[in-house]
Structure formats: structure tokens, C-alpha cells
Amino acid sequence: MEPLVALLHMVIAIMTFSKANTTVCTLRGEPVHPELWKDGDIIVGGVFSFHSSWEIRQLTYSIMPPPLKCISLNFRDFQYAQSMLFAIEEINNSSTLLPGVSLGYKIYDTCGSVAVGVRAAMALANGYEKMSVEGPCTKHAEVQAIIGDTTSSACMAISKGIGPFKLPLV
Ligand SMILES: *[C@@H]1O[C@H](CO)[C@@H](O)[C@H](O)[C@H]1NC(C)=O
Ligand SMILES: *[C@@H]1O[C@H](CO)[C@@H](O)[C@H](O)[C@H]1NC(C)=O
Ligand SMILES: *[C@@H]1O[C@H](CO)[C@@H](O)[C@H](O)[C@H]1NC(C)=O
């Protein structure tokens, strides 16, 4: 009996999907905003742990969990982000390196959480800021490359997530 029920669920799911409006790209879930950003012709993404921890809260599992409340400032990662901004400005200001191209950036704070880091990387790949966009969800990546995170476990999770988009991770 159970396989039959599972099959029925699958058929219903497929029917629902095929009926969905495929011409509008709608954001599922909450938008994710960067901590630091500047527009440019080429945008470089950054994922750093400006905080190294978050407040533990009792979850009720009856409502959506609220966003993490970050604690413990991590100056080392803030310094890394500053170095990234300095390099971007230096290349942007230079008349010999990439002349006529302005560089921008979008930098996210992960709070030291791998899950938040993956979410930030997905936001950098997809642009999780707009609630809905005209047309299908098949536009170009928001950023040309992602710098960070500073821990290898977060990097491994992020690289698995953005690998299919062929986005380089430094
Ligand atoms: C599908 O998208 C079009 C274009 O945005 C819109 O006009 C229409 O109302 C949508 N249909 C449904 C069923 O959501
Ligand atoms: C890059 O240079 C352009 C002008 O050439 C400027 O408008 C923009 O703010 C600069 N971006 C950064 C990140 O410094
Ligand atoms: C880039 O140019 C701006 C404006 O001239 C300046 O304020 C900034 O310090 C420069 N940045 C670097 C890294 O040279």
C-alpha cells in the first residue's frame, strides 16, 4: 500500500509543478541582503565570518525559525574583507589593470555558520534580494567569483553548492 501512496504523492507533485507559472521567477523564502556592497560592471562576491557565533534560542518547531542573531565580532575576518575591498579598489582605480571596467562587490557575513555561508553563496549565485523577477529563473550569475569563506568546512559546503553554476571559489 505504501509504495502506491508514495506514487500518488509524486503524481500530484508533478501535476502541481506543471501547472505552476513558468514565466515568473519567484523567490521562495526570505531575501538575503549583503553586509557590504557596491555596484559595478563586474561584481565579486565575498563570504566572511564577521561574527564567530550566534545566540542559541529555543525553537518551537511550529513557526519558521527567525534569522540567526550573530554574536562575538571576529576582527580577523573583518580584516580579510577589508583587504579584499582594498584590492578591488586598487584594481578599479588603476588605469592599466582592467581599464574601462568598474569593479563592484557584495560581501556577506556568515556568523560562523556553514548553513548561513551556503545561503550567502546561493544568494551570490542567484541574487536572493528581489522577491520576484519577470521571466524564467535562468539568468546569469550575480557575481563572477566568490572569495571566502575562511574555514575549510564552510568552503567545502559552498563549493558543492555553487559547483553546478561553474562559479569559481577562491
Ligand atoms: C503568470 O505570469 C504572468 C506574467 O507575469 C501573469 O500575468 C499571470 O497572471 C500569471 N498567472 C498565474 C496563474 O499566476
Ligand atoms: C570604481 O571606479 C568607478 C569609476 O571609475 C567608481 O564609480 C566606483 O565607485 C569604483 N568602485 C569601487 C569599488 O571603488
Ligand atoms: C581609489 O580611489 C578613490 C578615489 O580617488 C580613493 O578614495 C581610494 O583611496 C582609492 N583606493 C585605493 C585602494 O587606491
Side-chain angles (χ1 to χ4, degrees):
M1 196 59 199
E2 231 163 62
L4 240 160
V5 174
L7 189 72
L8 191 69
H9 273 279
M10 221 169 84
V11 170
I12 291 172
I14 290 168
M15 276 167 63
T16 321
F17 269 117
S18 54
K19 255 199 291 185
N21 202 337
T22 49
T23 62
V24 176
C25 178
T26 316
L27 179 68
R28 309 250 167 200
E30 294 298 309
V32 195
H33 300 289
E35 299 288 320
L36 302 164
W37 72 95
K38 188 153 195 177
D39 215 6
D41 300 331
I42 293 179
I43 300 181
V44 182
V47 180
F48 296 99
S49 308
F50 291 158
H51 296 83
S52 46
S53 187
W54 62 92
E55 221 174 73
I56 305 287
R57 279 177 293 194
Q58 218 65 48
L59 298 177
T60 61
Y61 297 100
S62 56
I63 53 161
M64 277 280 281
L68 292 189
K69 195 163 173 212
C70 307
I71 53 174
S72 323
L73 267 179
N74 177 1
F75 290 106
R76 199 182 64 144
D77 268 37
F78 191 65
Q79 219 168 23
Y80 287 147
Q82 292 286 331
S83 316
M84 174 181 160
L85 294 192
F86 180 82
I88 286 178
E89 273 188 24
E90 191 117 298
I91 296 168
N92 194 50
N93 285 1
S94 160
S95 51
T96 47
L97 296 167
L98 295 180
V101 178
S102 70
L103 288 180
Y105 51 83
K106 273 190 183 171
I107 298 181
Y108 283 86
D109 177 14
T110 67
C111 275
S113 154
V114 172
V116 175
V118 170
R119 202 167 134 91
M122 286 296 168
L124 287 170
N126 296 320
Y128 268 2
E129 291 165 54
K130 297 183 200 83
M131 287 310 281
S132 75
V133 200
E134 288 287 319
C137 300
T138 50
K139 59 193 177 63
H140 291 292
E142 287 276 300
V143 296
Q144 270 65 36
I146 296 179
I147 297 179
D149 195 350
T150 43
T151 59
S152 49
S153 36
C155 284
M156 279 167 74
I158 290 172
S159 64
K160 287 236 161 42
I162 61 168
F165 300 109
K166 305 234 177 337
L167 259 183
L169 179 73
V170 181

